[in-house]
Amino acid sequence: MFDTAKTLIEQSKKIIVIQAENPDGDSLGSSLALEELLGDLGKEVILYCPVDIPKYMRYIRGWDRVVHDFDTTADLAIIVDTAADVLMTKVLEARGVRHYLESHPVIVIDHHTETEPNLSFDTVALIEEAPAAAQVIYRLAMHAGWDINPSAAEHLMIGLQADTLGLTTQNVTPESFHTAGELTARGASVAKIEERRREFMKKPQSILEYKGRLIERIEYFLDGKLALIRIPFEEIQEFSDLYNPSVLVLDEMRLVIGVEIAVAIKSYPDGKQTGKLRSNSPISADIAGYFGGGGHKYAAGFRVYDEHEQVVRELIEATAKCLEKSNPSS
């Protein structure tokens, strides 16, 4: 598929790079890296996302070049970091976008191999096992013989670091460290990236106080193996622009003795419930799959339109089944 993707890119003059409605450091870093790589090939590149880039990600240089208007005059679309319709609802609802995607070549660059691709239009699927989409883009660049300039190297490093928590997650491989070394040699500086990230991650007092309230609300199920926090819409409205509420506590929930998986559920007025999962056992993707979601073994997500109580019941059942399957002797 690398050759097919390379050919499609080389044949195109204008390319639109699409992030889904849940942008993160990997999707944004990957998009900006593609902008650099393809720009050096003489391509016109448009970066598109249907939602605003969250403020806590704005340490990533170039975030402000991401636009909300989908340019249907592009010759080729590249979707990064997702291969599921459910994560592209807002993209597909935008005027003219579905028709565009059904009538133009589309490349999907993703690394979520634990779940099957689920897109309702034809694609060239560049989906490989890797800790980040940025890793797959690096492989494509190496295969195609493209130059990786310092800015592209920095953005690929950001994507790789973001999805691996600084190369510390269980899905990191020797290739990941080799890639990080090669990106460093090409001009990426982890120290400078981290300095900017820490500056943007500084929290106002109100966020620390809110974090304390979240910690007090954590619920535990299955003899403490499942830790759960619910974040209602009014809190999403109040705090999300300053800091992602679920990120405030998920990792600390996972570090509680006995906890195998931590889940944050956000509730929205239209009935939507979104779940973010982080686990110590390799069960996140399987649990998310019960709800039509997906991700990695240790980090995944889902979105449903059910009552919160029903979601919690099904989450407890799915977690119990997945824990039993993962460790049947326990």
Side-chain angles (χ1 to χ4, degrees), residues 59 75 117 124 142 158 164 190 201 203 207 217 315 320:
Y59 72 94
D75 307 309
V124 172
M142 290 296 96
I158 286 171
T164 63
V190 173
M201 296 293 272
K203 310 173 185 66
I207 287 295
R217 298 208 312 259
L315 177 64

Coordinates of all heavy atoms in Angstrom, one line a residue, residues 59 75 117 124 142 158 164 190 201 203 207 217 315 320:
Y59 N 0.5 24.3 22.0 CA 2.0 24.4 22.0 C 2.6 23.8 20.7 O 3.8 24.0 20.5 CB 2.5 23.6 23.2 CG 2.4 22.1 23.1 CD1 3.5 21.4 22.6 CD2 1.3 21.4 23.5 CE1 3.4 20.0 22.5 CE2 1.2 20.0 23.3 CZ 2.3 19.3 22.8 OH 2.2 18.0 22.7
D75 N -7.6 17.4 -4.9 CA -7.5 16.2 -5.8 C -7.6 14.9 -4.9 O -8.0 13.8 -5.4 CB -6.2 16.2 -6.6 CG -6.0 17.5 -7.4 OD1 -7.0 17.9 -8.1 OD2 -4.9 18.0 -7.3
P117 N -11.2 -1.6 10.2 CA -11.6 -0.3 9.6 C -13.1 -0.3 9.4 O -13.6 -1.3 8.9 CB -10.7 -0.3 8.3 CG -9.6 -1.2 8.6 CD -10.1 -2.3 9.5
V124 N -7.7 3.9 0.2 CA -6.4 3.1 0.2 C -6.0 3.1 1.7 O -5.7 4.2 2.2 CB -5.4 3.9 -0.7 CG1 -4.0 3.2 -0.5 CG2 -5.9 3.8 -2.1
M142 N 10.1 7.3 4.5 CA 11.3 6.6 4.3 C 11.2 5.7 3.0 O 12.1 5.6 2.2 CB 11.7 5.7 5.5 CG 12.1 6.4 6.7 SD 13.7 7.3 6.5 CE 13.1 8.9 6.1
I158 N 6.4 15.0 17.9 CA 5.2 15.3 18.7 C 4.2 14.3 18.7 O 3.6 13.8 19.7 CB 4.7 16.7 18.3 CG1 5.6 17.8 18.8 CG2 3.3 16.9 18.9 CD1 5.3 19.2 18.2
T164 N 2.5 8.0 22.9 CA 3.2 7.0 23.7 C 3.5 7.5 25.1 O 4.3 6.9 25.9 CB 4.5 6.6 23.0 OG1 5.4 7.7 22.9 CG2 4.2 6.0 21.7
V190 N 13.3 17.1 21.6 CA 12.3 16.8 22.6 C 12.3 17.8 23.8 O 11.3 18.1 24.3 CB 12.6 15.3 23.2 CG1 11.7 15.0 24.4 CG2 12.4 14.3 22.1
M201 N 0.7 23.7 29.5 CA 0.0 22.8 30.4 C -0.2 23.4 31.8 O -0.8 22.7 32.7 CB 0.7 21.4 30.5 CG 0.8 20.7 29.2 SD -0.8 20.1 28.7 CE -0.9 18.5 29.5
K203 N -1.7 25.1 34.9 CA -3.1 25.2 35.2 C -3.5 26.3 36.1 O -2.7 26.6 37.0 CB -3.5 23.9 35.9 CG -3.1 22.6 35.2 CD -3.4 21.4 36.1 CE -2.9 20.1 35.5 NZ -1.4 20.1 35.5
I207 N -8.6 24.9 38.0 CA -8.5 23.6 37.4 C -8.0 22.6 38.5 O -8.5 21.5 38.6 CB -7.5 23.6 36.2 CG1 -8.2 24.3 35.0 CG2 -7.1 22.2 35.8 CD1 -9.4 23.5 34.4
R217 N -15.3 12.2 43.2 CA -16.4 11.5 42.6 C -16.1 10.2 41.9 O -17.0 9.5 41.3 CB -17.0 12.5 41.5 CG -17.6 13.8 42.0 CD -18.7 14.3 41.1 NE -18.4 14.3 39.7 CZ -18.0 15.3 39.0 NH1 -17.9 16.5 39.6 NH2 -17.8 15.2 37.7
L315 N -20.8 -1.3 30.6 CA -19.4 -1.2 30.8 C -18.9 -2.2 31.8 O -17.8 -2.8 31.7 CB -19.0 0.3 31.2 CG -17.6 0.6 31.6 CD1 -16.7 0.4 30.3 CD2 -17.4 2.0 32.1
A320 N -15.9 -7.0 32.9 CA -15.8 -8.3 33.6 C -15.4 -9.4 32.6 O -14.6 -10.3 32.8 CB -17.1 -8.7 34.3

